[in-house]
Each structure stands twice: as C-alpha cells, then as structure tokens.
Amino acid sequence: MSVDLQSLLNHFEPISLDAADKARLMNRVDSKFVVSVDKLEEIMEETWSDYQVLSIEGERNLPYRTRYLDTPDFAMFNAHVNGKLNRYKIRFREYPLTGMRFLESKFKMNRNRTIKKRISRQEHIPEENEVEEQFVMQQTPYNREDLETKLYNRFKRVSLVHKNRK
C-alpha cells in the first residue's frame, strides 16, 4: 500500500517553530513508534483533532542533518544500545530549512525524561573552540577533546505537538 504522506499531513493544523518551542520540547518525554505503512493512515486520522504538525515555510516533513560525537570506544552509543538510563548524547544538529545549527547535549534520565541543552553554532567558527569545550564540560561528564565524530546522518521527520498537553 502506498501512503501519500503529504496529503495526510495537510489534514493537521500547522504549528510554527516559535509556538512549538513553547511546548517545552527541550524537556520532554519522547514517544516513538514503529508501525506498518498500512496502519499509518488510520493512526494519523485518529490524531488530527488532538495534534498539530510542526510546519516551517509550508514544509511538514522536515529535513535534519546530524553529526554525533562519541568516545573512541563508543561509550555513549553502547549506553544507548544497552538501554542504560542516565546517559548522554552529544551532537551537532542542523536544520536546513532555517539554517539554524546547534551543538546539543541530550541527557536521558532514569525516568525516561529527556533533557536537551544546546548552544547556537555559527558556520565559520573553528571546529573546536572554547565555548563548545565549556558547554560539553558543563552539560556532560565528557571532555570535548576526548570526543570524535562517529556518525553522520540525514533524515526527514514529522513532529506532532499535542494541542492541550505539554
């Protein structure tokens, strides 16, 4: 079965990035689901009245670019794969539609809550700099100088925000 994702997304009321930021996406509980394509339409139809879809410049299936940092022995990745709570991720995230770039730390607490902190990253600054080194040291148990790029990825994502719940 082929699903026209754009057509499904057009049924949702849009929410702007500014309004979505007020939904407290930096301190949240993530819910991610794997469903078969043939169930996607049914699930989305049931959520139209309760959720809004993040929309930037009219686009609802938003592109992301990410570069993950880790220790040489993949300490953060292994903690993630093994389901360890109270774990960290450190990444550079770029939002191509807005041009925004950030250095981010994500802390997954033992109550499944995710705390994300980030600082803006300018395009033409040195790869390693004092501001980023301080950020990593303050937000994580790691030193920036001990981290290296381990993974690049690009993807598109749909973000739904509940109309009443934060």
Side-chain angles (χ1 to χ4, degrees):
M1 175 182 180
S2 177
V3 172
D4 181 0
L5 181 60
Q6 191 59 47
S7 178
L8 291 174
L9 292 175
N10 286 339
H11 284 87
F12 286 93
E13 179 184 326
I15 185 170
S16 71
L17 188 56
D18 286 340
D21 278 346
K22 292 178 182 148
R24 302 178 53 133
L25 298 179
M26 300 295 275
N27 181 342
R28 65 186 188 237
V29 175
D30 286 328
S31 298
K32 298 174 184 171
F33 304 94
V34 176
V35 297
S36 62
V37 173
D38 60 335
K39 288 286 185 183
L40 182 61
E41 186 170 4
E42 176 185 339
I43 291 168
M44 291 182 83
E45 286 175 357
E46 291 180 15
T47 61
W48 287 335
S49 61
D50 295 322
Y51 287 85
Q52 295 172 287
V53 65
L54 180 61
S55 179
I56 299 174
E57 298 178 13
E59 189 66 41
R60 295 170 180 220
N61 191 11
L62 303 171
Y64 291 74
R65 293 183 190 144
T66 311
R67 179 166 57 102
Y68 285 92
L69 304 178
D70 206 337
T71 61
D73 64 349
F74 293 91
M76 288 181 264
F77 173 77
N78 286 320
H80 174 79
V81 168
N82 291 310
K84 185 176 186 297
L85 296 178
N86 292 329
R87 67 178 184 257
Y88 293 87
K89 287 183 187 174
I90 302 170
R91 68 188 184 193
F92 291 98
R93 170 64 56 86
E94 179 183 352
Y95 302 87
L97 284 179
T98 64
M100 293 189 299
R101 297 175 175 173
F102 298 95
L103 170 59
E104 300 178 341
S105 71
K106 289 181 74 175
F107 176 59
K108 181 84 166 206
M109 300 173 68
N110 61 6
R111 292 188 174 97
N112 279 330
R113 180 161 292 279
T114 299
I115 308 292
K116 184 165 80 169
K117 303 278 183 156
R118 65 185 182 186
I119 57 172
S120 183
R121 184 157 205 302
Q122 302 303 316
E123 188 172 348
H124 300 292
I125 60 174
E127 178 60 30
E128 295 175 9
N129 62 72
E130 190 173 316
V131 171
E132 292 178 0
E133 289 171 9
Q134 285 292 100
F135 175 81
V136 171
M137 285 177 44
Q138 290 170 354
Q139 301 302 325
T140 75
Y142 300 98
N143 290 315
R144 174 66 180 98
E145 63 193 28
D146 298 331
L147 304 175
E148 53 193 43
T149 297
K150 293 295 189 178
L151 175 71
Y152 289 95
N153 72 6
R154 294 176 182 207
F155 60 93
K156 288 188 172 187
R157 177 171 74 191
V158 174
S159 295
L160 300 178
V161 178
H162 197 277
K163 290 181 177 179
N164 301 314
R165 289 186 260 165
K166 293 185 178 187

